[in-house]
Amino acid sequence: MMRKNEENTDLAEFGQFSEPALLILVSLADEPRHGYSMTEDIEVVAGVRLGPGTLYGALARLEARGFIEPLKSDDRRNPYRLTALGERALRARLNSMMAVAQTGRRRLASA
Amino acid sequence: MKWLVWLYPGSWRARYGDEFAAVLDSQRASVGLVLDLIGGAIDAHLHPQVLPSQSNQFMKPNQGEDTMTVAMLERCAAGGPKLSPGERRFASTLGILIALAMASLYLVLTKIFRQGPAVQAVIYASVLFTSSIRVQMSYLRNRSRTAQVLILGAELAVIYLFMLGACLIATKL
């Protein structure tokens, strides 16, 4: 059982939005971006174009969990940035993916 | 396609509506986009991440404030009597299903008749109708399901005829 106030940085809980959530966190890793900019960046980085419904479904989850936060803006295109918790969640997921990738490569090499 | 934003819950629209519309402006209309938006709207209703109190600070009573006044304001606010969670779910599902049916009808009619007044009227009528479905359901809450369907169906037909008349007049001008 999880202790009270214990951080949960597991993106898998986002269900069908876990992959879009990961892509959003990667997109925000270097600088704050607004929705359109994230869509463009994710398309360049991952070759996937997220629809607005999917993008904002994942954004709302990330914001509700404190992984990202909006920045003040006069423009209606509100930029978001990664929080410290979001950065830890991203690092944890990338480390886990890297471990799987390294294991897969090692096994392929020895096959 | 902006009218599909009205499928999302009010609290969600208050929080993300403007920026969502800005992203939508950059998208080309397509069946995939419609399905993505409808899927997002269903998710926003089933798994709300934005609480009404987060999007509407005016209605959030602080400790020590006159909560009776706030309760009265909530009761008298546009939207009529408050719906139970079950009734809200039913109204939302109904709104989404109607919007889905109207969007499908619009796409089919556009393929067959292109952009005639009868096709334009479908989109205008569906925007007006689906955006107010929850308010209408709140006033029909004590009616039977059959009565609700009949009244809403008749209302949709009247709105469509009105919009068709307006579109026909607009084409003559």
Side-chain angles (χ1 to χ4, degrees), chain A residues 16-17 35-36 39 49-57 59-61 63-64 70 76-80, chain B residues 2 8 12 15-16 18-27 33 36-37 39-41 43 47 49-50:
Chain A
Q16 63 171 317
F17 291 95
Y36 178 72
T39 309
R49 189 164 185 88
L50 298 183
T54 306
L55 178 74
Y56 275 87
L59 265 182
R61 280 170 168 77
E63 192 186 353
R76 63 178 183 149
R77 298 184 305 177
N78 212 21
Y80 292 85
Chain B
K2 272 189 188 173
Y8 285 75
W12 193 98
R15 170 65 189 83
Y16 296 108
D18 281 349
E19 53 184 295
F20 190 72
V23 173
L24 265 183
D25 283 342
S26 64
Q27 307 283 321
L33 178 62
D36 179 69
L37 294 176
D43 172 65
H47 308 107
Q49 306 293 323
V50 184

Side-chain angles (χ1 to χ4, degrees), chain B residues 82-99:
Chain B
K82 288 167 78 175
L83 296 174
S84 69
E87 289 168 333
R88 279 205 298 272
R89 271 197 294 277
F90 177 76
S92 298
T93 307
L94 189 65
I96 288 167
L97 288 176
I98 290 171

Side-chain angles (χ1 to χ4, degrees), chain B residues 4-165:
Chain B
L4 284 167
V5 175
W6 287 96
L7 297 179
Y8 285 75
S11 54
W12 193 98
R13 288 199 309 272
R15 170 65 189 83
Y16 296 108
D18 281 349
E19 53 184 295
F20 190 72
V23 173
L24 265 183
D25 283 342
S26 64
Q27 307 283 321
R28 269 193 321 194
S30 67
V31 177
L33 178 62
V34 171
L35 293 176
D36 179 69
L37 294 176
I38 290 173
I42 292 170
D43 172 65
H45 281 285
L46 295 179
H47 308 107
Q49 306 293 323
V50 184
L51 300 173
S53 57
Q54 286 176 284
S55 60
N56 190 353
Q57 295 299 318
F58 172 68
M59 300 306 276
K60 184 180 180 182
N62 292 324
Q63 277 199 331
E65 279 192 6
D66 186 356
T67 51
M68 184 181 282
T69 307
V70 174
M72 282 174 62
L73 285 170
E74 282 182 330
R75 176 80 188 171
C76 299
K82 288 167 78 175
L83 296 174
S84 69
E87 289 168 333
R88 279 205 298 272
R89 271 197 294 277
F90 177 76
S92 298
T93 307
L94 189 65
I96 288 167
L97 288 176
I98 290 171
L100 187 60
M102 296 298 273
S104 307
L105 182 65
Y106 175 73
L107 291 172
V108 170
L109 291 176
T110 307
K111 280 274 182 196
I112 300 171
F113 302 109
R114 299 191 182 274
Q115 292 287 327
V119 179
Q120 288 292 320
V122 170
I123 208 75
Y124 295 138
S126 60
V127 170
L128 200 62
F129 185 71
T130 52
S131 62
S132 61
I133 188 83
R134 190 175 286 195
V135 177
Q136 297 168 59
M137 287 303 293
S138 69
Y139 287 106
L140 294 173
R141 62 191 306 203
N142 294 325
R143 308 277 185 137
S144 67
R145 284 277 184 260
T146 312
Q148 288 175 348
V149 169
L150 286 174
I151 292 169
L152 290 174
E155 185 186 345
L156 180 58
V158 170
I159 292 174
Y160 175 76
L161 290 174
F162 177 80
M163 288 300 176
L164 180 60

